[in-house]
Amino acid sequence: MSQVLPISNRESWPWPPAIQASALVHVVALGAGLFVSGAWPWAIGALVLNHAVITAAGLTPRSSLLGPNVTRLPASAVARREIAITIDDGPDPDVTPKVLDLLDAHGQRATFFCIAERVLEHPALAREIIARGHSIQNHTARHRHNFSFLGPRGFAREISRAQQVLEEVTGERPSCFRAPAGLRNPFLAPVLHRMGLSLISWTRRGFDTREGNPATVLSRLTDGLAAGDILLLHDGHAARTALGQPVILEALPKLLARVQADGLRAVTLPEGLST
Ligand SMILES: [Zn+2]
């Protein structure tokens, strides 16, 4: 299925300065290599360095070098004392219902970056997330581990499939996207732009797919907690505590208590991003 874009749409993509600079490096290096005697080693060195910088940016989830990337809520949300709790990799039939109960008990809301194939396995649970006042956003169709190595077509397939599934199941079309582990390459930003999706990363994360100590996860999330923060936890792929509990179930109640004690309010991303 080819996706032919109108020229105007293609041209509307504002290539980030770093990518424009990268293109310039290629042109200059090629020109120097061809026309300046003895310049080849320098030209190749410049290209290798350029690719190292671009790759490093793709491996840095909070970087904006490859395109727009939301790491905090806007000033309007800060003024409203809002934060966003984002919960990735679900829905999970064992963990997510308990997470929903904890959020209800504290009267707070969250955003679930769901994997579309898991939504297809548990559609009623996805609808319950929405019915209880939370938001579901796009975390790809399958959460492929090689996601960050895909090209434009691969990105478009994974992301548009998830858009379709999430909208069909929940009745709401996502406006936010998060890459698996936050990893990407320069081809992602134009695809998101075309689909009207905002790339969302985070202010802080608990590394709770690997860290089983709830106190460590909590302190990573709350050290310096302030209005506008976007926090990352996991209901899917959650690490287990020493007692075998998914770590989110022990860390989340304490996080919610801290949010309330600090006079903050956890809202969904669409609420927090609204001005
Ligand atoms: Zn994930």
Side-chain angles (χ1 to χ4, degrees), residues 18-102:
I19 301 301
Q20 293 183 24
S22 172
L24 189 63
V25 167
H26 281 75
V27 170
V28 171
L30 196 65
L34 284 175
F35 300 114
V36 181
S37 161
W40 264 120
W42 296 100
I44 289 170
L47 291 179
V48 168
L49 181 64
N50 175 79
H51 280 265
V53 169
I54 297 291
T55 303
L59 297 174
T60 309
R62 302 182 70 244
S63 164
S64 295
L65 215 54
L66 303 182
N69 185 6
V70 177
T71 60
R72 297 185 56 78
L73 297 177
S76 48
V78 174
R80 298 190 295 261
R81 303 280 302 155
E82 292 171 353
I83 67 158
I85 296 173
T86 61
I87 301 174
D88 288 13
D89 294 3
D92 181 288
D94 299 322
V95 182
T96 310
K98 294 172 186 153
V99 167
L100 292 174
D101 288 345
L102 290 170

Side-chain angles (χ1 to χ4, degrees), residues 88-89 139 143 179-181 234:
D88 288 13
D89 294 3
H139 196 39
H143 207 267
H234 289 79

Side-chain angles (χ1 to χ4, degrees), residues 88-90 113 115 139 143 178-182 209 232 234 236-237:
D88 288 13
D89 294 3
F113 278 95
I115 301 169
H139 196 39
H143 207 267
R178 179 174 285 154
T209 57
L232 167 58
H234 289 79
H237 301 137

